[in-house]
Amino acid sequence: MSDIRACGIEVPADWVPLPIEPSDDVRSWSKSTAAELRDRSKAAGYDLDKGTLRKDLRSRAEDSRSREPFYTFALYPDGFDFALAILEVDLIHPDDTVPRITLDWLAENFSSDDFGRPDIAHTDLPIGPAVRVRQNFAADTHSRRAPGILMETLTYGTLPTGSESALMLLMSWTVPGLSKEMEETADSIAETLTVDLH
């Protein structure tokens, strides 16, 4: 068996890659990216507040960095000064506590019944067998008095053919009414995953 040396992913143009390396300058990145997104939205007929956009970009990048994923993207369609969804890709390697990763282990460890039973299905992606977990969580709010927010998620855990490690794709969103579109987007992005083994 080999290990995953690198992985690739293709996302639509309105998904912005977030800077997650410790050496990345998030402040200057958020400033320049906010200007680019504002110009793009302006060309499409929307006027966005660059400051609001800059703050949202920065907070999304800093939040994702805290989890140290392999890749992170945020969805900023034209006309929106906040991300509609977050997409993270990460690797899980076997260790002393989990010497062999299986699809059942991924389904069990990446699902919860916070809001009813998760919808778990076994499937196949071009890179190998996978488990697809659709579920909802209570998202953290900035204030104790604020009502809880429902965070919807779709997770793919895949065992790339020939690898002992797992590749995880997690999409999350809190804007209601987008479930069908977000699921279709996550499903199509998961199909683009590639890996290099060594």
Side-chain angles (χ1 to χ4, degrees), residues 6-141:
C7 68
I9 188 172
E10 293 176 25
V11 296
D14 48 4
W15 287 87
V16 176
L18 302 183
I20 51 175
E21 294 300 320
S23 58
D24 289 334
D25 182 351
V26 175
R27 186 183 293 264
S28 66
W29 168 84
S30 61
K31 189 174 181 182
S32 62
T33 305
E36 288 171 25
L37 292 177
R38 185 168 184 250
D39 289 347
R40 190 186 78 190
S41 274
K42 201 168 200 172
Y46 302 100
D47 190 21
L48 299 182
D49 180 67
K50 198 162 60 175
T52 303
L53 193 50
R54 188 173 63 238
K55 282 182 195 162
D56 193 69
L57 283 160
R58 189 171 171 189
S59 76
R60 301 290 183 166
E62 288 172 349
D63 178 57
S64 280
R65 284 174 98 169
S66 68
R67 289 183 291 280
E68 301 179 347
F70 205 75
Y71 294 121
T72 303
F73 301 88
L75 175 60
Y76 287 94
D78 290 339
F80 287 86
D81 56 11
F82 62 93
L84 290 188
I86 297 293
L87 176 72
E88 294 184 350
V89 176
D90 210 352
L91 297 174
I92 298 177
H93 303 286
D95 58 21
D96 292 341
T97 57
V98 185
R100 185 171 167 269
I101 298 172
T102 65
L103 292 180
D104 288 339
W105 182 86
L106 292 173
E108 184 180 328
N109 285 275
F110 287 88
S111 65
S112 166
D113 54 5
D114 280 10
F115 285 93
R117 293 181 57 80
D119 180 12
I120 300 173
H122 287 257
T123 186
D124 285 302
L125 294 176
I127 59 171
V131 64
R132 180 186 188 274
V133 181
R134 173 68 177 87
Q135 61 192 332
N136 299 330
F137 294 97
D140 293 333
T141 57

